[in-house]
Amino acid sequence: MSLPDTQNNLLLRAQRFLPSLLMGYLLVAVLGWLWRGDPVFSGARLHPYLVLVLWAAIRYGSWEGIVTALTGVALLALRGLTANSETAFLLMATALFTGLMADANLKRTRRLRLQLARLGAEVLELREDGEVLRASNVDLLTRLEEKDTGLTVIHQVSARLLALTDPQEIVSALVQVTHEFAGAERCSFYRREGANLRLVLAHGWPNVPSEARVLRPSSEPDLLLLAAERMSVQTVRDYPMAARLEPELAPAMLRLLAVPLLHPNSNEVLGVLSIESLPFVRFNTATVQLMLAIAELGAKSLAQARQPEILAAAPTPLVETDGLLSANLFHTRLRREALARQRGAVPPFCVLWLACDNLSRLAADSQRMVIRAVELIMLVNLRPADARAQLEPEAFGVLLNDTELATAETLATDLAWQLQELIPLWVPAATELRIQLGWAGGEPDTILDRAKERSKLWTSIALAPAS
Amino acid sequence: MDEHRASTSQLIEEVRQLEADGKSEEALERLRYWAEEVPVEPDVRHQLIRLCLGSAHPGALKVAARQLSLVLLERRLAGVR
């Protein structure tokens, strides 16, 4: 501000400073005239021009201070410079000293302002970088979690499939894991029969139309046959025209995804896993990757199966009920889970048993309603990962993964209350029924022992009459 | 309220008739519409559940499961166990 600048700047400075200077001196002159009759304050010990010089130097800078001092000296010279020589000297000295100090301060202030502006810009940049890093961190954590979840799922699928040797159990497990882990509402397994594919097991299908039992090569491309022919996964996204619409199965039921099971050594197509119905949000790359893993593990398991001809000979395709395992499969899983727990590979688990006493006393319709009611209560209270099985026509078992005994007891208590209160509301004829509940947890050996003698553990519940 | 109960009774009859005619898919669609689109009283939920339990359609259990979840939630909110 106080340093020599271009002509424009000088003009601007003059425009800003000179009116103030004029006003200042006018004021002093009026004051002097009124007070002493001398507008110049000639001979004054503490001259008011000093104030003007100080003000100009501090407010505007050294050059303005000097101009003010020179103006003052010129005015004093009108009264005689000799008499006012001390004042003149004081004015110039003050202008220089104060002006230079003010200049230095102004320079420092400007430098600090520039530094602050630079720091402010750096802070903004850092903040933006921080936001980007935070977003990347969240993205990375999400991917790690997905990867971790994916690895956990693969581990569980592997545990379910690789320990089986019975081909029918393997196929059942394949369809089960596709339903549980991929979230498929309808899925199926076809085995290769020459150039054809024959349905072995379907899950969630309302019925099995004859057209879907055997798929033969035809002029219309079929997603499953394409998957078998190309030995790679096919989805309806890649071949929308290749999706076969099966009107008999359900309205607008499409083949969404087909993945072949390839023999690990010979690469022969053993069969094809198909998904016909899947929640929209699950139809993504992650599900395709999971299905590829399931197919690979299933193929490995089938290749090692004993008596694979049993699978080839199965004449009638089976349709599983919603998520209920067979008794054999349930006990196989229980043994496998116990072994894995003994090795410390899985967290603690518990088992729950449920049986309906005196069910045969009811009419067939009421019996069916009661069984469905029990399935419903289990469906609502259990997690999808808990394995449910129908052990006998009137008895159910549940494998509660990753569950402590205390939690299993609480769950059993809740189930007992709901069975007691709700079944009579839905099936009024069932008031004479008794529901037997049992549970076991803790050491795997203890659980397996109790599984053999579960009848000794029953807690009996009488159903309350509907109010 | 009476009108609501009357239309509920009508629904129950309709669903029973559809089931008897072997049109379980249509019966389920009617049940699903009522279960998901129409606000119902708690006792009507139990009637819907009963209808679902009697249905031959495999998807009926899921419709019933949603209703039961709502029943349990309502009870929890009301302070009943």
Side-chain angles (χ1 to χ4, degrees):
Chain A
M1 262 199 312
S2 62
L3 296 173
D5 275 329
T6 61
Q7 206 168 1
N8 279 338
N9 278 344
L10 280 171
L11 214 58
L12 276 170
R13 283 171 71 177
Q15 275 176 351
R16 233 177 26 213
F17 166 67
L18 288 177
S20 308
L21 179 69
L22 197 62
M23 282 299 295
Y25 273 108
L26 215 60
L27 201 66
V28 169
V30 165
L31 208 65
W33 186 269
L34 290 173
W35 186 17
R36 294 171 64 145
D38 177 10
V40 182
F41 280 89
S42 176
R45 289 176 70 85
L46 194 61
H47 208 284
Y49 285 177
L50 220 58
V51 174
L52 286 178
V53 167
L54 277 170
W55 162 78
I58 293 171
R59 174 74 177 82
Y60 294 101
S62 57
W63 287 105
E64 284 81 355
I66 290 169
V67 165
T68 310
L70 284 173
T71 311
V73 166
L75 288 171
L76 283 172
L78 292 175
R79 283 279 190 267
L81 201 54
T82 316
N84 296 296
S85 58
E86 278 183 20
T87 309
F89 173 76
L90 210 54
L91 286 178
M92 291 308 295
T94 306
L96 273 172
F97 181 71
T98 314
L100 289 173
M101 290 276 288
D103 282 353
N105 277 340
L106 283 168
K107 240 202 284 190
R108 195 163 45 242
T109 306
R110 192 165 59 173
R111 199 169 50 244
L112 283 172
R113 275 208 197 111
L114 279 174
Q115 272 183 1
L116 273 172
R118 226 179 355 255
L119 282 171
E122 279 177 21
V123 164
L124 272 174
E125 262 183 51
L126 282 171
R127 199 176 288 164
E128 281 169 10
D129 289 345
E131 289 297 331
V132 169
L133 277 173
R134 225 185 327 270
S136 306
N137 194 29
V138 166
D139 185 47
L140 187 63
L141 284 173
T142 308
R143 285 181 196 214
L144 281 174
E145 194 183 326
E146 277 176 10
K147 196 168 179 182
D148 184 51
T149 306
L151 285 172
T152 308
V153 164
I154 297 292
H155 171 75
Q156 288 179 1
V157 168
S158 168
R160 295 265 288 269
L161 291 174
L162 292 182
L164 297 172
T165 52
D166 185 314
Q168 284 173 342
E169 284 187 357
I170 293 169
V171 167
S172 179
L174 270 170
V175 170
Q176 271 299 313
V177 299
T178 304
H179 164 64
E180 277 180 41
F181 294 104
E185 292 153 341
R186 295 188 190 119
C187 52
S188 54
F189 176 79
Y190 282 73
R191 64 175 172 84
R192 191 74 181 265
E193 203 176 66
N196 303 335
L197 289 172
R198 180 177 288 277
L199 178 65
V200 176
L201 187 63
H203 172 90
W205 291 20
N207 53 52
V208 183
S210 51
E211 294 85 3
R213 288 170 187 256
V214 179
L215 302 178
R216 296 183 175 84
S218 68
S219 54
E220 271 182 42
D222 178 86
L223 207 69
L224 275 69
L225 288 168
L226 273 173
E229 180 192 319
R230 296 179 183 183
M231 300 195 333
S232 64
V233 63
Q234 307 295 318
T235 72
V236 70
R237 235 184 234 167
D238 303 319
Y239 296 98
M241 299 304 292
R244 165 80 57 88
L245 187 67
E246 302 278 3
E248 303 274 345
L249 287 172
M253 180 170 139
L254 298 172
R255 305 282 194 182
L256 295 178
L257 186 149
V259 56
L261 276 68
L262 304 175
H263 193 285
N265 298 330
S266 63
N267 240 19
E268 175 201 349
V269 175
L270 299 173
V272 177
L273 255 181
S274 165
I275 293 180
E276 291 82 36
S277 176
L278 190 68
F280 181 73
V281 292
R282 300 293 292 261
F283 193 53
N284 51 35
T285 315
T287 300
V288 173
Q289 297 295 330
L290 176 60
M291 288 306 296
L292 284 169
I294 291 174
E296 190 180 330
L297 291 166
K300 215 175 270 186
S301 200
L302 277 173
Q304 294 164 0
R306 52 181 169 77
Q307 296 180 299
E309 63 275 10
I310 290 176
L311 187 63
T316 311
L318 308 168
V319 178
E320 287 190 339
T321 52
D322 191 10
L324 288 178
L325 304 176
S326 65
N328 278 344
L329 207 52
F330 179 76
H331 289 122
T332 306
R333 277 202 62 186
L334 183 56
R335 282 192 297 275
R336 208 167 45 242
E337 198 77 15
L339 279 171
R341 179 62 192 148
Q342 278 173 340
R343 287 198 312 269
V346 296
F349 68 96
C350 293
V351 182
L352 200 70
W353 295 279
L354 204 152
C356 306
D357 264 4
N358 302 326
L359 194 63
S360 52
R361 288 188 190 175
L362 301 178
D365 278 350
S366 297
Q367 286 183 35
R368 186 173 160 276
M369 291 275 284
V370 167
I371 295 293
R372 293 267 283 178
V374 171
E375 283 179 35
L376 172 63
I377 290 172
M378 286 202 302
L379 183 65
V380 168
N381 286 279
L382 299 175
R383 302 165 299 186
D386 295 329
R388 294 168 286 139
Q390 192 163 12
L391 305 177
E392 288 156 25
E394 303 172 5
F396 298 86
V398 183
L399 178 61
L400 299 165
N401 295 304
D402 193 9
T403 305
E404 299 284 349
L405 187 57
T407 311
E409 282 174 2
T410 308
L411 176 64
T413 311
D414 285 343
L415 283 177
W417 167 77
Q418 287 177 36
L419 291 164
Q420 196 173 20
E421 293 289 324
L422 297 174
I423 291 185
L425 284 176
W426 304 329
V427 192
T431 47
E432 287 186 16
L433 270 188
R434 295 192 78 82
I435 304 284
Q436 309 282 2
L437 265 182
W439 58 90
E443 292 301 315
D445 287 338
T446 310
I447 297 175
L448 288 174
D449 289 339
R450 290 191 177 181
K452 290 172 196 165
E453 299 178 333
R454 62 178 188 267
S455 57
K456 292 182 184 171
L457 302 168
W458 290 141
T459 298
S460 188
I461 309 160
L463 299 187
S467 54
Chain B
M1 182 67 72
D2 287 339
E3 196 181 306
H4 185 69
R5 289 194 184 280
S7 54
T8 310
S9 307
Q10 197 182 345
L11 163 76
I12 293 168
E13 267 318 303
E14 211 176 304
V15 168
R16 281 204 181 124
Q17 191 57 49
L18 286 168
E19 286 282 346
D21 294 343
K23 296 178 184 173
S24 56
E25 188 70 36
E26 283 180 47
L28 181 65
E29 277 310 307
R30 292 292 292 147
L31 276 172
R32 191 178 281 136
Y33 169 74
W34 267 83
E36 294 178 9
E37 304 291 337
V38 180
V40 293
E41 296 283 306
D43 60 338
V44 175
R45 289 200 203 284
H46 286 294
Q47 289 189 47
L48 287 172
I49 291 172
R50 197 180 305 133
L51 284 172
C52 289
L53 292 179
S55 169
H57 199 288
L61 214 58
K62 282 203 177 121
V63 176
R66 188 162 184 275
Q67 290 306 301
L68 180 55
S69 303
L70 290 169
V71 165
L72 295 175
L73 181 63
E74 282 163 2
R75 287 197 177 203
R76 208 166 288 145
L77 289 173
V80 177
R81 187 186 164 192

